[in-house]
Amino acid sequence: GAIGFADGYPGGTPDYGYNGVDENSSVKDVSTNIDLVHNNSIAGGVVGYGSGGPYADLSAQGTIHSNYTGYGGIGGTVGYGENGAQIRRNQADVDINATGNDEVGGLVGFLDVGSVRRSHAEGYVKGNTNVGGLLGTNDNLAGDIWDVYAEGDVTGNTDVGGLVGENENKAAIDRGFATGNVTGSTNVGGLLGSNEGGSVHDTYWDTQTSGLTMSATTNSTGLNTSQMQGSAAQTNMSELDFTSNWQTTSGYPELAWE
């Protein structure tokens, strides 16, 4: 199912109605196949606008194409989350083409006072400003993302990152990685495009697949592909909790719940 907003911020399917309101409630255990073309500032593969939550165990695959130009929030599962939005165990394999939009992410477009935990995104992401493989913008003191990863390619103009486009206002990023190719013009990083007063810890990116040896913070570690795959990941990405939250595979690590 999917949830929009009163003014028509669309979610992926009409089960809840494109114009449904989702404020201070929750959406759980929803999977969508999406092929969405829209002209709105905000859109998500499952939830267009989310306030509070939790938004747990959501999954989306398909495509989102935005014809909008300007500020908004476009995401693989949630377009715009605020007011303590709790996003848990979400996964998105959504290709997003939103070259005129700001705040575009493979999983969440804009997070304002909320959290994303144990989630990942795989689709490619194209946007303008604040563009990330997982999250476009992570904003404010209570905005934190933990145990996350992104594998999709990311393209934008300004503040473009393999995991997060912009991390700001004391928002936190902990325990995650990015592997996609990242291209842009200004403030472009393998993990993070721009860090404006946020904190970043225990994070990694693939310097080979991203094409970048730099990120917006020195608290992230760039590794080559072989260092991040198979059993080598447990040694080289030791700040990830492979006892409880992560597991190795023949490729890159995955979350334990997958």
Side-chain angles (χ1 to χ4, degrees):
I3 289 183
F5 186 64
D7 292 327
Y9 299 152
T13 66
D15 294 14
Y16 293 90
Y18 285 117
N19 298 320
V21 177
D22 185 61
E23 292 191 86
N24 302 314
S25 62
S26 65
V27 182
K28 299 179 180 179
D29 300 306
V30 173
S31 179
T32 64
N33 290 294
I34 179 173
D35 183 10
L36 178 64
V37 178
H38 74 100
N39 300 307
N40 299 61
S41 60
I42 295 174
V46 182
V47 175
Y49 169 92
S51 175
Y55 304 100
D57 302 298
L58 308 183
S59 175
Q61 61 181 358
T63 61
I64 296 176
H65 184 94
S66 172
N67 296 312
Y68 184 83
T69 298
Y71 172 88
I74 310 294
T77 59
V78 178
Y80 193 112
E82 66 176 355
N83 297 329
Q86 303 170 46
I87 299 166
R88 304 286 187 268
R89 296 178 304 279
N90 278 211
Q91 55 185 337
D93 187 0
V94 178
D95 293 333
I96 300 176
N97 190 339
T99 56
N101 275 90
D102 302 336
E103 334 298 342
V104 183
L107 192 80
V108 180
F110 192 102
L111 184 67
D112 184 8
V113 190
S115 59
V116 179
R117 297 181 184 169
R118 297 184 295 281
S119 300
H120 68 96
E122 300 177 26
Y124 74 72
V125 182
K126 296 180 180 179
N128 181 38
T129 298
N130 298 358
V131 186
L134 186 89
L135 185 58
T137 298
N138 188 30
D139 186 28
N140 219 305
L141 179 61
D144 61 69
I145 61 175
W146 300 351
D147 297 311
V148 294
Y149 69 93
E151 296 185 316
D153 295 343
V154 185
T155 301
N157 290 319
T158 304
D159 299 340
V160 185
L163 190 73
V164 176
E166 182 169 27
N167 192 49
E168 61 185 8
N169 296 334
K170 299 184 180 180
I173 303 171
D174 291 283
R175 299 187 301 275
F177 68 89
T179 65
N181 180 259
V182 185
T183 56
S185 300
T186 305
N187 297 338
V188 182
L191 184 98
L192 177 61
S194 175
N195 190 45
E196 299 291 338
S199 65
V200 182
H201 301 284
D202 306 334
T203 50
Y204 309 86
W205 82 94
D206 190 321
T207 57
Q208 290 178 278
T209 56
S210 69
L212 295 169
T213 58
M214 299 294 293
S215 186
T217 173
T218 58
N219 293 332
S220 298
T221 303
L223 300 171
N224 63 42
T225 303
S226 63
Q227 290 175 311
M228 296 179 67
Q229 293 189 339
S231 60
Q234 193 161 358
T235 299
N236 297 308
M237 305 168 75
S238 59
E239 299 301 330
L240 303 183
D241 182 358
F242 285 97
T243 301
S244 301
N245 294 328
W246 295 86
Q247 60 189 354
T248 59
T249 71
S250 60
Y252 297 104
E254 291 181 348
L255 293 160
W257 64 262
E258 294 184 69

